[in-house]
Amino acid sequence: MHPFTYAPVADAAGAAARALAGAQFIAGGTDMLQLLQENLVQPQELADLNGLGLAGITEEQDGALRLGALTRLQKAADDPLLRERCAVAAEALAASASPMVRHMATLGGNLLQRTRCLYFRDVSTPCNKRQPGSGCSALEGENRHNAILGGSEHCIAVQPSDLPVALVALDAEVLIQGAGGAERWVPVEGFHRLPGDTPEIETVMQPGDIILAIRIPAHATRWRSHYVKARDRASFAWALCSAAVALRLDEEGRVAELRVAAGGVATKPWRLMRVEQELLGHRLDRDRVRLAAVWASEGAVTRPGNAYKAPLLQHTVERAILELGGLA
Amino acid sequence: MPEPSQNFSLTLHVNGTEHRVAVDARTTLLDALRDRLHLTGTKKGCALGQCGACTVLLDGRRVVSCLMLAVMAEGRQVTTIEGLAQGDDLHPVQAAFVEHDAFQCGYCTPGQIMSAVGAIREGRAGSDDEIREQMSGNLCRCGAYTNIVAAVRDAASREG
């Protein structure tokens, strides 16, 4: 680990000033310590955000849920409001990492978690995300865990977090405070960027920006929702594929509102609008759900190592909708 | 707020005792425990949060001490494997691990025990399935999992 200086910051303005002077932020530290240990980042200074008082989950006047950026994953997974009204988020959090990591990691940090692509995490290999212009080792290499959706000729790394996939299904937004103090809301769906020819730029965050909170709108808290995660072992593993579904049926049992998102298969949390469209206005039955879920892998670009993800994605989406609809 | 610094003189609260320790900003809580305080019961496995050998309790909650900077543990209560027994009386989870032969080489055992203590304290050791899920962050290369589950179940039923 290269030497760095450390200091806590007292407020968001102070944090922004440190960041503009070259500091990187640390909060839960669970990804930052790994990045430091493997020399993937070499900050001159770490600015500790834990004193900013941004933890906790509260209900807003209109019924929206506000999740403070420094809330620990386990705290959020156990939160009665979140479990009751936004099951998909609580389930995604409970399926994240290990109990120890969940006690440390923060919601804001989880949105910013760096990819687990083997080549990004190995400084001895070329990686366009880590070292722009050096090439992508995953395209022709070991790409079993890499993306089949949203990739480019420069990068097929997966955004690995479970929570943002659930948040896309819940139509959630991220509250960001800019370096000048102005606050802005960004839909989670638009928070991560496609790699394109700049895979080193992963989100819409600008220098000095701080995530203050996540907001799940009131209408989404009235939906039923569910998360299904497929992985190599039953617990403590990255998603090979995951599906987040949020649903509202009308009085006749027809699909009135539906949002479906996938994780583990794409370079960012991936909204499956075609699957949604196939089911809107219809009653859920097994055949219709199965045929709709086939559209989940529309546009997929597969490679020898990750071709299995296309059918896995279809079946994971099918299973999530069937389980949510009581048809499993 | 203090100016950013590379060297710190910290007070760490470990197993009910205050320790003054000088560390570099880079020092992890794990390395501070082992190399500065010579509490070598906490083991260093992967140093990447993947194996659980370094599990300790921080303010009563399980954490992996390899993914935490020592400077960020100041003012928190740390409990390590050395802090469980009362003199010669083993903690119930320690006793259950001995009774059920829940280890072979023993390297992962302090982390397993700290994680089990945390899981039981959190009320998350109610069934074998829940124990397997809750202990999934602690790897055992010897494969003593069957007996680990039995030990945790036994300790949980005695404490619960």
Side-chain angles (χ1 to χ4, degrees):
Chain A
M1 218 185 285
H2 286 249
F4 53 79
T5 61
Y6 162 93
V9 292
D11 51 48
R18 298 311 316 166
L20 293 176
Q24 293 194 28
F25 294 139
I26 185 167
T30 51
D31 196 20
M32 177 56 81
L33 264 288
Q34 294 180 64
L35 297 168
L36 291 167
Q37 289 282 18
E38 307 223 89
N39 284 319
L40 303 178
V41 296
Q42 296 174 1
Q44 60 185 39
E45 175 189 335
L46 285 182
D48 180 353
L49 300 180
N50 283 292
L52 295 188
L54 298 173
I57 296 180
T58 52
E59 183 178 3
E60 299 192 329
Q61 277 202 333
D62 69 348
L65 291 187
R66 185 182 170 116
L67 288 57
L70 288 171
T71 310
R72 264 54 194 179
L73 303 192
Q74 187 67 57
K75 199 83 176 166
D78 292 339
D79 185 82
L81 278 178
L82 198 71
R83 287 165 59 109
E84 182 192 323
R85 301 187 195 170
C86 304
V88 66
E91 290 170 7
L93 286 162
S96 299
S98 69
M100 286 79 86
V101 171
R102 291 198 296 272
H103 283 138
M104 306 171 78
T106 65
L107 300 182
N110 190 254
L111 298 183
L112 297 170
Q113 180 177 209
R114 309 296 303 275
T115 183
R116 313 306 302 194
C117 178
L118 297 174
Y119 301 102
F120 174 78
R121 297 272 166 175
D122 178 355
V123 292
S124 71
T125 61
C127 168
N128 285 325
K129 191 183 276 297
R130 179 168 31 76
Q131 197 177 352
S134 63
C136 174
S137 304
L139 290 174
E140 303 300 329
E142 173 52 61
N143 49 36
R144 182 171 175 272
H145 288 268
N146 289 78
I148 59 171
L149 292 163
S152 72
E153 60 184 309
H154 305 287
C155 182
I156 52 169
V158 166
Q159 205 293 328
S161 300
D162 292 292
L163 177 66
V165 182
L167 293 176
V168 167
L170 291 169
D171 202 9
E173 296 178 296
V174 186
L175 177 59
I176 299 169
Q177 178 164 321
E183 296 183 1
R184 67 186 194 276
W185 290 97
V186 176
V188 175
E189 196 179 348
F191 180 78
H192 296 94
R193 292 179 31 142
L194 292 171
D197 55 8
T198 54
E200 72 279 12
I201 303 172
E202 299 179 335
T203 70
V204 299
M205 297 282 281
Q206 298 291 319
D209 278 356
I210 295 174
I211 299 176
L212 299 180
I214 295 160
R215 184 174 182 275
I216 301 171
H219 63 266
T221 67
R222 292 188 284 271
W223 294 341
R224 297 154 61 191
S225 63
H226 183 42
Y227 191 71
V228 169
K229 180 175 180 179
R231 40 189 163 174
D232 277 329
R233 57 187 182 197
S235 181
F236 194 20
W238 311 107
L240 299 171
C241 177
S242 69
V245 184
L247 167 75
R248 183 174 71 79
L249 300 177
D250 67 17
E251 294 77 19
E252 277 82 48
R254 294 189 183 85
V255 176
E257 291 176 284
L258 174 67
R259 287 174 69 98
V260 183
V265 290
T267 52
K268 53 176 275 185
W270 201 256
R271 179 129 179 242
L272 297 171
M273 294 181 74
R274 182 63 194 262
V275 176
E276 299 168 8
Q277 287 160 12
E278 290 292 317
L279 293 171
L280 276 172
H282 296 284
R283 287 192 178 81
L284 294 178
D285 67 59
R286 285 162 178 268
D287 285 342
R288 187 174 290 280
V289 170
R290 178 172 49 79
L291 291 171
V294 170
W295 289 101
S297 60
E298 185 185 23
V301 176
T302 63
R303 293 162 207 285
N306 65 12
Y308 75 97
K309 285 192 175 182
L312 180 63
L313 172 58
Q314 296 175 8
H315 291 301
T316 306
V317 168
E318 179 186 358
R319 188 177 134 201
I321 299 173
L322 288 177
E323 287 182 358
L324 183 60
L327 298 167
Chain B
M1 276 288 135
E3 283 299 301
S5 173
Q6 203 172 319
N7 298 297
F8 292 85
S9 179
L10 304 177
T11 303
L12 292 178
H13 297 261
V14 184
N15 301 329
T17 306
E18 279 189 14
H19 299 268
R20 293 292 296 175
V21 57
V23 298
D24 183 291
R26 291 172 290 180
T27 310
T28 62
L29 175 59
L30 171 61
D31 288 342
L33 290 170
R34 287 183 57 84
D35 300 342
R36 306 299 162 82
L37 304 184
H38 307 295
L39 293 168
T40 54
T42 304
K43 300 305 181 198
K44 189 169 188 169
C46 67
L48 294 170
Q50 296 166 3
C51 76
C54 66
T55 302
V56 301
L57 301 184
L58 187 76
D59 295 334
R61 300 281 176 193
R62 293 174 278 171
V63 299
V64 274
S65 57
C66 69
L67 295 187
M68 179 163 213
L69 297 176
V71 67
M72 291 171 72
E74 190 164 40
R76 317 283 298 271
Q77 297 292 330
V78 180
T79 307
T80 71
I81 189 75
E82 291 92 346
L84 289 187
Q86 304 285 328
D88 288 338
D89 294 331
L90 293 181
H91 183 280
V93 177
Q94 291 176 306
F97 268 65
V98 173
E99 196 171 315
H100 289 272
D101 195 18
F103 46 81
Q104 185 174 307
C105 83
Y107 196 80
C108 72
T109 309
Q112 300 278 0
I113 289 174
M114 296 313 295
S115 189
V117 169
I120 293 169
R121 197 176 286 184
E122 293 161 34
R124 299 183 207 270
S127 68
D128 285 4
D129 279 349
E130 189 176 28
I131 291 167
R132 287 189 196 99
E133 168 66 28
Q134 287 297 317
M135 297 297 291
S136 65
N138 297 85
L139 305 189
C140 171
R141 295 294 298 270
C142 302
Y145 294 112
T146 307
N147 292 3
I148 291 171
V149 171
V152 177
R153 181 179 58 222
D154 192 8
S157 67
R158 284 189 221 176
E159 289 191 16

